[in-house]
Amino acid sequence: GASIARLPVGPAHAILFGEDQGRYLVACAAGTGAGIVADATARSVPALVIGAAGGDALRLPGVEPILLQNLRNASESALPAYMAGGMPDGFVNC
């Protein structure tokens, strides 16, 4: 799980799902993020601490928590359901 306290400025879909060669997510030990941001800033590299990993849900700003089990079920059921001619509950067939 993860608790995301803040996101970079921009469209949510691009921030959460976009693949950009100029953007990286760095996982570090608790309490070391501020030092990493300070080092990056000293080198003119934009950086920010966005949250923390752990727990049983994905928590995003302004959104109800999503249980990891629900995310796992959605991920594992979408392709088999599609191949069987349908879509799992909550999915939109475009």
Side-chain angles (χ1 to χ4, degrees):
S3 294
I4 308 302
R6 66 187 277 205
L7 293 171
V9 175
H13 68 281
I15 297 299
L16 294 170
F17 303 107
E19 296 181 20
D20 186 336
Q21 294 302 314
R23 186 175 355 148
Y24 298 91
L25 180 64
V26 177
C28 60
T32 62
I36 292 170
V37 170
D39 288 345
T41 301
R43 291 166 177 81
S44 299
V45 176
L48 61 103
V49 174
I50 64 169
D56 64 349
L58 174 60
R59 290 173 173 79
L60 298 166
V63 179
E64 290 291 321
I66 306 167
L67 292 176
L68 293 184
Q69 186 60 49
N70 293 348
L71 290 170
R72 188 175 297 111
N73 291 344
S75 175
E76 293 174 357
S77 67
L79 186 58
Y82 180 75
M83 297 304 287
M87 288 300 287
D89 290 340
F91 281 78
V92 177
N93 194 356
C94 298

